[in-house]
Amino acid sequence: MKQICESKYEQETSEQEYEFLKQQIAYYNLPSQSFESSTIAHHPFIDSIQNLTVREALKKQFKEVAIQSRNAVFNMYLKSAEDQREEYKKKHELNIKKIDASQHTLNQNEKLSSTFVQLINERCNKISERIQCIYKYKRQCFQSKSN
């Protein structure tokens, strides 16, 4: 039971974290969060260059590198979160399969009662509900902060 509940916690947390990360990335890809509106776009070193052609070329190159780097970091975060989500999903499914398999192989006295199995399922549902509630709050806080 402990393993199932822990794996359910990990599975649900990684799922919610993945969805939260997607929301954050979408926010940072909005036009209001463009390179031009960032503080890095207005670096005194670049603005101090007198030759307008050189300054504009340097700004353009600087912008391209910054955008590519940001996209690479976002993709890396998303891939990592997705891999973790899949890992925890498989781990939880394996724990469920172990319980199901043991129910078929154990003798009648060693099997878990249907009431106990139902309690485990209810506990897992409560774990999911609690984590979903936490992340709903996190998303609301993030949205209100970003508005």
Side-chain angles (χ1 to χ4, degrees):
M1 178 179 167
K2 184 178 177 183
Q3 285 179 336
I4 289 177
C5 290
E6 285 175 358
S7 67
K8 184 60 178 177
Y9 177 86
E10 292 168 337
Q11 178 199 12
E12 191 63 47
T13 300
S14 64
E15 179 69 35
Q16 294 300 319
E17 194 64 34
Y18 176 75
E19 294 301 322
F20 184 53
L21 180 61
K22 285 187 349 186
Q23 179 190 7
Q24 289 175 311
I25 290 171
Y27 168 75
Y28 288 114
N29 283 327
L30 290 174
S32 64
Q33 300 299 311
S34 69
F35 178 79
E36 287 78 12
S37 65
S38 70
T39 57
I40 196 170
H42 307 287
H43 195 276
F45 177 72
I46 293 175
D47 293 337
S48 70
I49 297 172
Q50 298 299 317
N51 185 322
L52 187 62
T53 307
V54 172
R55 181 175 40 196
E56 291 304 314
L58 191 56
K59 274 187 177 181
K60 182 181 176 189
Q61 188 177 9
F62 188 49
K63 176 182 177 180
E64 288 171 3
V65 169
I67 290 171
Q68 286 174 355
S69 298
R70 184 182 76 169
N71 289 338
V73 167
F74 285 168
N75 289 335
M76 185 176 58
Y77 282 160
L78 206 52
K79 176 74 171 110
S80 177
E82 191 173 357
D83 289 347
Q84 188 174 34
R85 181 182 72 158
E86 287 300 314
E87 177 187 334
Y88 287 137
K89 180 180 178 184
K90 287 177 185 174
K91 181 179 175 183
H92 182 67
E93 288 171 355
L94 181 64
N95 283 332
I96 296 294
K97 286 179 183 177
K98 284 180 187 177
I99 290 289
D100 289 343
S102 70
Q103 289 294 88
H104 296 295
T105 58
L106 296 173
N107 69 42
Q108 198 61 33
N109 292 336
E110 296 172 322
K111 287 184 181 182
L112 299 174
S113 70
S114 61
T115 305
F116 192 66
V117 172
Q118 183 181 358
L119 286 172
I120 292 171
N121 288 331
E122 286 178 24
R123 177 70 182 132
C124 287
N125 289 338
K126 292 294 180 190
I127 289 169
S128 289
E129 288 172 12
R130 186 184 81 195
I131 293 171
Q132 288 170 12
C133 182
I134 290 168
Y135 276 87
K136 181 180 177 185
Y137 178 74
K138 282 180 84 167
R139 284 190 288 276
Q140 288 172 343
C141 288
F142 179 74
Q143 286 174 339
S144 66
K145 186 176 79 171
S146 59
N147 290 336

